[in-house]
Amino acid sequence: MKKLVALAFVLLSFFNGFANEWNNREIYCNFKKVVCPVGEYEDPEPPANGRRTPSVPVMCLISERDGVTFLSSAPTRIIYYEILDEEGMVMTFPNETSFVHALFSLSGEYELRFTTDEYLYIGYAEL
């Protein structure tokens, strides 16, 4: 009987861990890094003539369990996180945890913005 209870406990622990991994949703985003003072960003006009070299995208993984992880150069400190919908309505979050919880409660396409002291990171997510 003890072996049966021990086996049931081991199986339950295994499936509980598997369920936690299964429930962890993740999205990958490419962010562009824009130099701007905090709060002064406006969409730039495309150049009239000539060619501009596009900025190198900054890869980012956002997961329910691990939060925001930059896969290349990580910003020093994110001041606030923003989620913009198709109409431009902004949801602003002061910390990573509230941002991640709000993001994964949504569905659709959203623009994500991370503001630091020196840069604004802009990316897009489809949930």
Side-chain angles (χ1 to χ4, degrees):
M1 183 67 176
K2 288 182 182 180
K3 289 182 181 180
L4 184 60
V5 171
L7 179 63
F9 179 74
V10 169
L11 289 175
L12 182 63
S13 298
F14 172 76
F15 286 118
N16 187 28
F18 183 71
N20 287 339
E21 286 296 318
W22 183 263
N23 290 332
N24 183 40
R25 295 187 296 171
E26 298 177 336
I27 55 173
Y28 286 93
C29 298
N30 284 327
F31 283 82
K32 68 179 180 179
K33 185 165 73 169
V34 179
V35 178
C36 80
V38 175
E40 295 183 16
Y41 177 75
E42 292 183 15
D43 287 325
E45 294 293 323
N49 56 8
R51 297 186 183 138
R52 236 177 63 176
T53 305
S55 61
V56 176
V58 177
M59 291 291 299
C60 179
L61 170 66
I62 304 172
S63 74
E64 287 181 311
R65 183 184 61 219
D66 299 326
V68 177
T69 305
F70 283 87
L71 305 176
S72 54
S73 61
T76 53
R77 181 180 71 91
I78 297 176
I79 298 171
Y80 56 88
Y81 304 79
E82 293 178 316
I83 302 173
L84 287 78
D85 64 9
E86 293 172 353
E87 286 102 33
M89 299 296 291
V90 179
M91 294 178 273
T92 304
F93 303 93
N95 61 51
E96 183 177 311
T97 305
S98 59
F99 163 75
V100 170
H101 287 302
L103 181 65
F104 284 107
S105 69
L106 301 171
S107 63
E109 295 182 19
Y110 296 92
E111 180 178 319
L112 308 177
R113 294 183 180 185
F114 301 154
T115 303
T116 67
D117 289 327
E118 299 172 348
Y119 299 104
L120 176 65
Y121 293 84
I122 302 172
Y124 299 90
E126 184 175 339
L127 302 164

